[in-house]
Every structure is written in C-alpha cells, then in structure tokens.
Amino acid sequence: MLIAAYVAFALLLLICLGLEFSACRSRLTSRSYSNPAFLQFQLDYYQVYFLALTADWLQGPYLYKLYQHYNFLEAQITIIYVCGFASSVLFGLVSNSLVDRLGRKKSCILFSLTYSVCCLTKLSWDYFVLIVGRILGGLSTALLFSAFEAWYVHEHVERHDFPAEWIPATFTKAAFWNSIIAIGAGVVANIFAEWLGFGPVAPFMVSIPFLVLAGTLVMKNWDENYGKKRALSRTYTDGLKCLLSDRRVLLLGTIQALFESVIYIFIFLWTPVLDPYNPPLGIVFSSFMAASMVGSSLYRVATSKKYHLQPMHILSLSVLMVFFSLFMLTFSTNPGQENPSESFLAFLLIELSCGLYFPSMGFLRQKVIPEKDQAGVMHWFRVPLNLLACLGLLILHDSDYKTGTRNMFTICSVMMVMALLAVVSLFTVVRNNAELRLPSSSSQAEISSPEL
C-alpha cells in the first residue's frame, strides 16, 4: 500500500497539471483581472480565506486515526462522528441568521476561536471532551461556509461598488486553489504525523497557527458588515413548498440526499479499511483530493465547446461510477479476502466522481430552484442527507465490525441504485427543457466541491 499510495499520488498530480495547463490555454481573460483595486481586494480576502481552508483540510487525514490511537472502540468513534454530523445540521440551520446578526467580521473571528478550541480538544483522551470538540467543529464548519462568503459579497458590492459580474471570478479562483490547498494539506499532515513521528494529533496542532493568523488578519484588515434580518420559519416554509410543488426539485433533492450521504459514510470508512495495511494516510488523502480535482477538470473539458456534454449527462455518469465503485468494495472488503489495492482504487473512483458530481449538481440547482427559495430548499435537502449518513453509521457498528463494513458498502450500493432511478426519472422530466442545457457557445465554470 505504501508504494501504491505514492505512485497513485504522483500519477494523479501529473494528470491534474496536464488538464489545468490545457484549461489555462483556453480560459478567457477578464478586464477585472487588470483592475488594481479589485486585485488588492481579492488578495485581502484570499489571504484570510486560504488560511482558514488550510487549517480545515489539515484535520482531514488523521481524524479517525486519532480516535483509534486513543484506543476507542469502533462504536464509540461512530458516536463521535454522528455528533459531528448532527452539530453541522443544527448550526447549519441558524448559521446564516447568526452571521447576519452578529456581524460577518465577528463571525469569522468566532470561527478562528471555536476551531482553535476544537483542535486543542484533540490533546485530551477524555471521550466527552472529544465529543465537545466535534460539536465545536460542526459550528466552525458552518461558519466557514457562510461567514466568509457573505462578508466578501457584501464588501464587493456595497462598500467597493465592483460589478456583481466579477463575483464568480473570485469564487472560481478560490475553488481552484481550494483543491490545491487540500492536496498540499494532506502532504503536510503526513510529514508531521508520520515522517517526523509526532503522531496523529500533530496535524491538529499545526492547524492552530493558521487559525490564529487568519483571525488576526480579520481583526486588523477587515471592516464589519451585517445582513438583513431573516424570518427563518418563512424561509423554510417557502423552501418546503417549492420542494413539494416542483418534481424536478424533489428529484434533485433525492439524488443529493442519497449521493452525499454515501460520501459521508465513505469519509468515515476509508481509514479503517486501509489503515490495517499501514498506508501513509496523508498521502492517501492527498491522492483523494487530486482525484477529485481531476474530476473537476474533466467536467470543464467535457462541457467545453469542443465536447459540449451536458451537466445532466455528467451527473448520471458520476452516480453510475459511484455505484460501480461501491460494487467493487463489496468484494474487496469481504472478510478473509480483503484486497486493499482494489479498495484504494475504488475510493479514488469515488473521489473522481465527486469532482464530476458537484459542478453538475450545482449547475442544475441554480437552474431548477428559484433564487429566493434556494436557502430554504437547501435546508430540506440537507435534513435527509445527514439523517441517512447518521443512520448508516449507526447501523454499521450495530453488528460485527468485520462483516459490518462490507454490509455497509452493500447498503450504499442499494442507495446508489435508488439514486440512479431518480436520475433516470429526472432525465425523463427535463429531457426537452432547453433551460437545463449549457449554451453551445460557452462552457460552465467549475463549482467548488464539499470538505472531506
């Protein structure tokens, strides 16, 4: 597994470089790139946001390994993860309202504080302290994906009066560098945890200086801004009405709940499946991130003027690839006949599929869901998603662990069959809808994929 991980990482990096070089040659330039004031504003945002992303990604490779290092049982680790998922749902419900009322700058500082405390809890061997840490992690994640973007959009439009059409340029560049940061974070985590021998707690301690620096720069360089008060009950009620009244929205929500709940379960399972064979977990994580970046690059190529594939087709392909990968895993994790190399390959295919899935799903959501209802609808999308993920993890360790992992992959395969049926139904509904097709004269920009 050691050699396989490094070889896969090197090959995927080469593919990434090739695809990105090809994309750079055909990428259109924008007048905004030559505006000095805009470039300085972008830089002020990026230097903070990228520090926050680095701290977040550093914690990915060794989270499960840390709990295992503290000699917790698989069922106990499951409960910690479930608490993390539950806190993400809970704080996700109120994060936008909290950020608007507290202030975006203060919310970014709060992110730095809560995530730093979350990292410090990893020094403790106490089970309940670690649960509290995961709950704080859920709050921090909710703030990361709400406060920073909200602050930027307000400053971009209201304070600096830049054209709103320039906003996607900032977030497209941020999505690209997010992938690069994720790949690099895995390597850095591996260096501190394994090469230098500091153990699985080291990446969490390395995250703290990044968080402190991010919070310091926010206090020093950013101005405060606030959002309008929102009636949460009305937002969620309108979102539910939109979800139930439009079959396209309902089918998209079904696909998202099934697909992304399987991804959450994969995030939990990849470490216990591969770790017995002593792979470099940080390099494995970086390989996953590189595979996801390859998928995002392939999406851009596939939707370009040259090939002009439609997001609906790519969404179908991504779901089918995950089903095939899970089918492989039901055999490669069979007790007594484990094949770690085959499992690793299946995991890479899942990540590649994620790189295809997220921009496809993002495009379709923007076209199908009215802008005024997107916040409420996305809330209702996340509820079954997290419930399925939590239920899956609890079922997994309700039985014998040796057979439980294989059984969980079997259940996930069934869930992906259901997702495929939903994709077919959606394709039937929208096949004559020109609005859901990319225009022939342009290509779709990359949309960022979620944290692992």
Side-chain angles (χ1 to χ4, degrees):
M1 274 301 299
L2 180 69
I3 296 175
Y6 281 101
V7 170
F9 180 51
L11 288 175
L12 288 166
L13 273 184
L14 288 175
I15 295 171
C16 282
L17 290 173
L19 290 171
E20 288 303 320
F21 176 75
S22 175
C24 285
R25 290 196 304 171
S26 60
R27 191 171 292 152
L28 297 176
T29 59
S30 170
R31 287 179 298 173
S32 65
Y33 297 153
S34 61
N35 185 306
F38 178 69
L39 291 175
Q40 183 60 50
F41 173 57
Q42 271 192 331
L43 180 61
D44 290 341
Y45 173 69
Y46 285 151
Q47 64 183 357
V48 172
Y49 186 52
F50 290 166
L51 285 169
L53 289 175
T54 300
D56 184 50
W57 284 119
L58 278 168
Q59 301 174 50
Y62 290 92
L63 182 60
Y64 187 100
K65 181 69 173 180
L66 176 69
Y67 299 140
Q68 202 174 48
H69 176 71
Y70 289 160
N71 297 319
F72 291 116
L73 301 176
E74 302 293 341
Q76 292 175 305
I77 299 175
T78 299
I79 297 300
I80 298 177
Y81 269 78
V82 168
C83 289
F85 289 148
S87 67
S88 296
V89 174
L90 177 62
F91 291 120
L93 295 177
V94 299
S95 61
N96 289 328
S97 178
L98 172 65
V99 166
D100 290 343
R101 293 172 182 270
L102 179 63
R104 280 73 178 262
K105 175 180 177 178
K106 294 186 186 71
S107 298
C108 292
I109 296 171
L110 178 63
F111 159 82
S112 299
L113 291 173
T114 56
Y115 224 6
S116 296
V117 175
C118 171
C119 291
L120 288 172
T121 62
K122 302 301 187 293
L123 292 170
S124 173
W125 291 61
D126 186 271
Y127 185 67
F128 292 101
V129 171
L130 293 172
I131 287 180
V132 170
R134 281 295 285 173
I135 293 172
L136 288 174
L139 170 60
S140 303
T141 301
L143 292 173
L144 175 61
F145 292 105
S146 58
F148 288 86
E149 182 175 326
W151 180 89
Y152 175 84
V153 171
H154 184 279
E155 294 291 307
H156 180 107
V157 176
E158 301 294 336
R159 193 180 302 275
H160 294 278
D161 198 27
F162 294 129
E165 292 77 16
W166 292 2
I167 292 176
T170 296
F171 292 132
T172 297
K173 188 184 294 184
F176 169 78
W177 284 106
N178 182 36
S179 299
I180 299 297
I181 289 169
I183 294 170
V187 176
V188 172
N190 197 90
I191 290 172
F192 280 91
E194 299 189 33
W195 293 2
L196 297 180
F198 292 144
V201 75
F204 299 92
M205 299 303 102
V206 175
S207 295
I208 295 177
F210 289 96
L211 293 166
V212 172
L213 182 56
T216 302
L217 290 174
V218 169
M219 287 190 289
K220 180 180 177 182
N221 299 332
W222 286 18
D223 296 315
E224 184 62 277
N225 62 59
Y226 298 87
K228 298 178 181 179
K229 294 183 179 180
R230 307 178 185 183
L232 286 180
S233 59
R234 182 172 181 180
T235 298
Y236 296 148
T237 301
D238 291 345
L240 183 60
K241 290 179 180 178
C242 177
L243 179 64
L244 297 178
S245 63
D246 191 331
R247 189 182 177 195
R248 300 175 305 167
V249 178
L250 184 60
L251 288 170
L252 271 181
T254 301
I255 296 166
Q256 178 171 328
L258 292 168
F259 187 100
E260 296 183 25
S261 60
V262 167
I263 299 305
Y264 282 177
I265 293 170
F266 150 70
I267 290 171
F268 176 84
L269 286 176
W270 75 265
T271 303
V273 168
L274 298 180
D275 189 53
Y277 307 96
N278 298 316
L281 295 179
I283 300 301
V284 170
F285 182 85
S286 292
S287 299
F288 291 163
M289 297 300 99
S292 181
M293 187 175 180
V294 168
S296 298
S297 300
L298 288 175
Y299 175 85
R300 285 201 306 271
V301 172
T303 56
S304 66
K305 290 185 292 184
K306 183 176 181 180
Y307 298 102
H308 196 53
L309 290 178
Q310 296 301 321
M312 190 68 230
H313 300 145
I314 299 174
L315 178 66
S316 305
L317 176 62
S318 64
V319 174
L320 186 61
M321 287 177 61
V322 172
F323 167 73
F324 175 73
S325 302
L326 292 167
F327 187 71
M328 288 175 57
L329 287 163
T330 60
F331 291 97
S332 63
T333 58
N334 189 28
Q337 299 177 344
E338 293 89 348
N339 189 329
S341 297
E342 186 176 327
S343 296
F344 181 44
L345 176 60
F347 290 150
L348 290 175
L349 287 175
I350 290 176
E351 285 290 349
L352 178 65
S353 303
C354 288
L356 295 169
Y357 164 84
F358 284 106
S360 305
M361 177 59 77
F363 174 86
L364 293 170
R365 278 200 307 256
Q366 288 176 354
K367 294 295 183 179
V368 169
I369 305 172
E371 185 176 355
K372 65 181 180 65
D373 295 324
Q374 286 193 7
V377 170
M378 287 303 297
H379 157 70
W380 293 110
F381 279 9
R382 284 190 289 266
V383 170
L385 189 163
N386 285 278
L387 286 176
L388 286 171
C390 293
L391 182 61
L393 292 179
L394 292 173
I395 290 174
L396 169 64
H397 292 296
D398 192 41
S399 58
D400 178 63
Y401 173 70
K402 291 184 178 179
T403 59
T405 300
R406 182 174 186 266
N407 292 340
M408 194 66 250
F409 286 129
T410 302
I411 293 173
C412 288
S413 298
V414 174
M415 292 169 64
M416 293 314 298
V417 170
M418 297 168 63
L420 279 172
L421 293 175
V423 168
V424 172
S425 297
L426 179 62
F427 190 82
T428 302
V429 172
V430 305
R431 60 184 174 183
N432 296 321
N433 192 337
E435 182 186 3
L436 300 184
R437 298 176 66 84
L438 285 169
S440 58
S441 59
S442 64
S443 61
Q444 175 71 9
E446 177 183 0
I447 298 175
S448 172
S449 63
E451 124 193 76
L452 264 180

